[in-house]
Each structure stands twice: as C-alpha cells, then as structure tokens.
Amino acid sequence: MAIKVDTDQGRNYDSILLDIINYVYGYKIQSPTAFRNAKAALLDALGCAFESLQESKELCCMIGPVWAGADIAPDGFKLPGTGYQLDPLKGAFDLGSMIRYLDHNDAFPGAEWGHPSDNIGAILVIAISDMAPPSTLETVLTAMIKAYEIQGCFQIKNAFNKVGLDHTILVKIASTAVVCWMLGLTTDQALSALSHAWMDGHPLRVYRQSPNAGPRKGWAAGDACMRAVHIAFLAGAGQPGAPTVLTQPKWGFYNSLFRGQTFDLPRPFGSWTMENIIFKVHTAEGHGMSAVEAAVATSNKMQRRGIVIEDISHVRIRTQEAGMIIINKPLETLSNAADRDHCMQYMVAVCLIKGAMIETADYQNDSPWANDERVETLRAKIEMVEDPQYTADYHDPLVRSCANAVLVTLKDGTELPEAVVDYPLGHPKRNETVSAVRGKARRNLSLKLPQERVGLIMDTSEDSSFLQMPVTDFVDMFIP
Ligand SMILES: C[C@H](C(=O)O)[C@@](O)(CC(=O)O)C(=O)O
C-alpha cells in the first residue's frame, strides 16, 4: 500500500495515523468470510438496537431530539425502530447507544476488550446523510470491516484499561477514520480529523467497574460515535490537525495518557477482526459467556439427579484474567442492570437456579431475579479463580479461547463433574454461530416490526444483489 496523503504537511503525521488512513483509503477488502460476517453483524446490531428500545426504559429516556419540537429534522437520519428523524450527531449518539445498551452486541477480546459493532452508530448515519455521496451496502460493510479491523488490531496488545481509559476511545478513532472516507474528505482532512480524535480527552473506565458501574457504559459508545462524526465534520470544514499528536515528547498522547508507552500493532490491517468476531448469542458479558453455558449444563445435571440449590455449599469458576478484572463481584451491592450484567456471580447464580440461560430482562431492576434472596445467597458462595492456562489460551493467536469451568460442591462434600466450555456459542470456532446470530436478529427485529417485514429483511440480506442495494432503501425497512 503506497501512502496516498495529499500534501507534505500530511506526510509529517505520526506514522500510525498515516497507516490508518492509508488502510482506510487504499485497501480493498476481498474476504468473503469478512463480508458474510459483516452482514450478520449489521443485522445483529440493528436487532440489538431494537431489543434496547423494547427492554430499557432508561435508554428510551435518552433517545430522540435534544429539545422538544426538533422531532423531525428535514432530511435527517431516520432512527431505526422509531419515528424520529434526527440531525447526524444525535442520530449517531442514539443509534450507537441503542446498539450497545444491553451489552448484547458483538465483542472482541485482547489486551483491551471492546464491541466493534459500536461503530455502526456512526457508519450508518453518515451512509444515508446527504453530506456523503449516495452509498450502497457495499460501502457500509466495507466501512464496518475497516472500523472493526482498526479497533481489533489495537485491542490485541494495547491495554487502555491499564491506564484507566475506556475502550470506546477506539470506537472514536476507528469511526473517525472510516467516516472521513465515507464523506469523501481528502486524506489530509482525514489525518487532521484522526489527530483530533486522539487529542479528544477520552472517558475514564471508572463507569464500567464497581462501585461505579452504571448506565454510562451503555451510552459511551454512542458518545464516541457522535464525537467521531463531529470531528470529521470539523476537519471537513477546514480545521487543521496536530501531526505529532501521539509522539510529541511532552504533550502528546503517549506521554500524557499512556504512561510513556507507544502502541504495539502486531498485525497489518486487513480483515482479520471481522473474520474472527465473537457474537453474543446470549446476553452475557463476553468473558462470562462460556460460564453461563457451563452453569446451565450443571443445573440440568443437578435437576436430573434431584439436587436442589440449597444443597450447594460452594461453586468455583475457573476463568481468564480479563474475567477476573471485569466481572468478579462476589459481594458488592448490585444497583442497576449495567452493574448486574458485569457480575459473573449474578449471571451464574441465575442460570444455576433457573436451569436455563440468563436473558436480557433478567438483569433489569424490575426483574424478579434482581430481588431474589436465593440469588444473593448463592452469589456469595461463588468464588472465581484465574486459571493461567485459560489466560494464556485467550491471548494465544492460535487458540483464542474464552474459557470458563464451573465446579459445584455440595454440602455433603460431593463434587459434581466440572462443566468446561472453551468456546462460547457466538465464537467463530462454533459452527452454529452465524445461523444462531441470524435467529437472534430475526427475534429481536420482530420486537418492533411485523413478521412479513422481518422476513423481507432477512431474505434481502441473502440476496445476491444485497451489496448493490442503496443504504437508504435498507434503512427504510427498519422504520416501523
Ligand atoms: C467487551 C466486554 C463485554 O463483553 O461486554 C466488556 O465487558 C469489556 C469491559 O468491561 O471493558 C464491555 O462492557 O464492553
């Protein structure tokens, strides 16, 4: 790939910014697997958005125009699942938040964790805005594959969590780059926009961790999408950038926010992330997905043997390091849905008692499980331990498992057979994944659309002409 920046000034940018823009503007995606997954990811994300509208009153209070009377922005973004027509910034915030709100959209592991489909909030809004040339779904899927790739490649080795920053920083970076390309900005303008994205402050991860876990973790992605779109517009309007935004020795990102470390990007950008994306078929934090499967298997075994929950004295979960950092909360008070969906003990306790998979509604404040004494009692008996082999396998590029093992010990000392799941449903190594994700999308879209329309959407997505379809026609199908 040759560097295609327009001016000498452009060539002076930090090399990582040049690599990103060079990739976004110059690389042709040719992987059929990436396109197949991108299609599934788009339907999955829009399904997640509908599910959030249906399940979360909290979210619905944030959606729509910023002030009453601005419900219909002429030619504005038609927000899927609603009757709103919004300006692009609020449209990006709302769609990004809807996709992400219930923690049910696709995820990607690494030294940093994140949800690449968060980027769709920015991509779809720009694809149908009249500021960009008319787009087909090929443009949307290409932008998605590239945004996923930028985010995923950064996640492999760069732990923003270790410096307290939230991983939605990568949504802002990736979305800014692809939105500039979609808008037809010059590469100089795109470099400027990208440098603004890096110097943009960046939210703290504090809202994902106890005791502050809360709904902001659901709208942080929307916020990143909105910032990306805004920054791209500003650069398009002529704002100059900061070429050494990362490396300037005193004031640059590395020194100011990354403890002096530089980024490590072990792979060239291609389409690897989309090819290996992990979908969330069930609603569970990514590092607990295999644990809920193991818990349901254990519970079913207990039922067959006539063992009841009160017989349990102890549960041990072997997990990976990321699981220990993100979702180990044995005793803390869980005060909201976001807090519960980031608690391994809650997820596993509900599955063990229920004998079935935990669902989105089970995390909400008004769920019976949220106030069930049995859940609290069992939660206190669940211990998590890191298995170093699970951690190593999680990071090993050839293994990439996301394993958990659940071991129940009864009060009489009996140990039940340990249930081990290495790859949760939704992982690329599970053959059922893509069809399970399409099934999930069909169910979620049915929450807001009539069956015939859902059928039409699913059939259209299988059609050989799908990539040539105008995005406006596609988005119109999602308006109730
Ligand atoms: C990627 C994670 C998930 O599966 O939900 C994560 O839990 C990671 C994190 O807390 O940083 C998330 O909420 O984004």
Side-chain angles (χ1 to χ4, degrees):
M1 260 189 291
I3 296 204
K4 293 180 174 42
V5 292
D6 306 302
T7 64
D8 286 343
Q9 138 93 359
R11 286 187 201 98
N12 294 331
Y13 272 81
D14 285 333
S15 61
I16 286 185
L17 277 72
L18 288 165
D19 290 346
I20 294 173
I21 295 305
N22 198 26
Y23 163 69
V24 169
Y25 279 68
Y27 186 88
K28 175 130 182 77
I29 306 288
Q30 273 162 335
S31 156
T33 308
F35 275 109
R36 182 204 62 183
N37 286 0
K39 223 189 313 177
L42 180 59
L43 295 174
D44 180 50
L46 288 167
C48 289
F50 279 32
E51 189 185 21
S52 301
L53 288 175
Q54 181 76 13
E55 295 286 345
S56 176
K57 295 184 198 88
E58 230 173 52
L59 167 85
C60 290
C61 299
M62 289 189 289
I63 295 303
V66 178
W67 69 88
D71 296 43
I72 301 288
D75 301 323
F77 174 65
K78 290 181 190 163
L79 187 67
T82 76
Y84 296 128
Q85 211 164 312
L86 302 168
D87 73 84
L89 298 189
K90 190 62 171 54
F93 178 90
D94 284 5
L95 185 58
S97 302
M98 284 158 57
I99 291 170
R100 177 65 181 81
Y101 208 76
L102 298 173
D103 208 345
H104 206 174
N105 59 325
D106 59 26
F108 201 72
E112 185 57 75
W113 324 283
H115 297 258
S117 51
D118 290 353
N119 291 287
I120 296 172
I123 292 171
L124 217 49
V125 168
I126 293 305
I128 61 172
S129 93
D130 56 8
M131 280 170 262
S135 301
T136 60
L137 281 156
E138 183 167 8
T139 310
V140 167
L141 299 189
T142 300
M144 281 172 60
I145 295 167
K146 291 187 174 180
Y148 275 51
E149 185 71 354
I150 296 165
Q151 181 167 344
C153 287
F154 268 93
Q155 280 181 218
I156 303 171
K157 292 268 184 203
N158 305 291
F160 295 91
N161 60 83
K162 295 271 195 275
V163 298
L165 296 179
D166 189 43
H167 48 69
T168 50
I169 181 175
L170 291 175
V171 177
K172 189 164 41 180
I173 298 303
S175 282
T176 299
V178 299
V179 158
C180 287
W181 170 70
M182 294 175 80
L183 286 168
L185 301 194
T186 65
T187 50
D188 269 351
Q189 290 169 326
L191 284 163
S192 163
L194 198 54
S195 73
H196 280 281
W198 281 116
M199 63 180 142
D200 202 36
H202 312 298
L204 299 181
R205 190 186 154 76
V206 64
Y207 50 71
R208 277 184 216 282
Q209 300 282 161
S210 182
N212 295 295
R216 182 162 181 160
K217 85 175 175 58
W219 56 261
D223 198 36
C225 291
M226 178 180 75
R227 293 291 311 151
V229 170
H230 195 197
I231 286 169
F233 287 164
L234 291 171
Q239 277 299 302
T244 54
V245 59
L246 299 177
T247 57
Q248 203 288 325
K250 182 163 168 58
W251 304 107
F253 182 95
Y254 290 150
N255 190 53
S256 305
L257 295 176
F258 216 50
R259 300 195 182 141
Q261 307 157 99
T262 55
F263 293 139
D264 184 356
L265 292 168
R267 301 181 57 92
F269 299 127
S271 49
W272 170 79
T273 305
M274 187 60 93
E275 287 160 19
N276 291 286
I277 192 66
I278 300 181
F279 291 101
K280 290 194 177 187
V281 177
H282 304 296
T283 317
E285 197 282 337
H287 303 91
M289 288 197 298
S290 54
V292 291
E293 283 187 49
V296 172
T298 302
S299 175
N300 293 343
K301 212 169 281 166
M302 286 169 57
Q303 274 171 28
R304 283 197 296 275
R305 290 169 58 170
I307 300 165
V308 294
I309 287 300
E310 290 69 25
D311 294 334
I312 294 179
S313 74
H314 183 254
V315 180
R316 187 194 71 192
I317 302 175
R318 283 191 294 129
T319 193
Q320 356 73 31
E321 185 197 21
M324 294 300 290
I325 297 173
I326 303 172
I327 45 178
N328 183 18
K329 289 196 253 173
L331 300 171
E332 290 86 340
T333 305
L334 302 175
S335 43
N336 53 58
D339 215 359
R340 281 180 212 104
D341 73 33
H342 266 44
C343 176
M344 175 79 104
Q345 285 84 355
Y346 181 83
M347 297 192 272
V348 166
V350 170
C351 288
L352 284 172
I353 299 172
K354 212 178 156 181
M357 208 41 91
I358 191 163
E359 291 167 289
T360 308
D362 300 338
Y363 296 102
Q364 306 304 311
N365 289 341
D366 55 8
S367 158
W369 298 110
N371 301 301
D372 190 319
E373 268 308 310
R374 291 171 305 164
V375 173
E376 285 310 292
T377 309
L378 189 51
R379 190 156 79 90
K381 295 179 183 172
I382 302 179
E383 177 198 14
M384 285 174 69
V385 293
E386 181 187 349
D387 184 326
Q389 189 58 49
Y390 282 1
T391 303
D393 290 347
Y394 173 91
H395 290 291
D396 182 338
L398 298 176
V399 183
R400 292 183 64 77
S401 58
C402 196
N404 279 286
V406 173
L407 175 70
V408 168
T409 306
L410 304 181
K411 287 183 179 154
D412 67 5
T414 311
E415 273 186 4
L416 302 184
E418 187 179 48
V420 180
V421 177
D422 291 322
Y423 296 99
L425 182 58
H427 195 284
K429 292 214 177 172
R430 293 271 292 258
N431 294 333
E432 327 90 286
T433 288
V434 171
S435 69
V437 172
R438 287 181 63 83
K440 171 189 163 195
R442 191 181 277 279
R443 282 191 304 281
N444 278 339
L445 295 175
S446 304
L447 296 171
K448 292 268 163 198
L449 298 176
Q451 282 311 317
E452 316 78 71
R453 185 92 71 84
V454 176
L456 181 65
I457 292 172
M458 300 309 289
D459 291 347
T460 307
S461 73
E462 297 280 47
D463 201 279
S464 57
S465 62
F466 184 64
L467 289 185
Q468 281 73 54
M469 185 175 189
V471 188
T472 40
D473 295 355
F474 177 73
V475 172
D476 278 349
M477 290 201 286
F478 293 81
I479 307 303

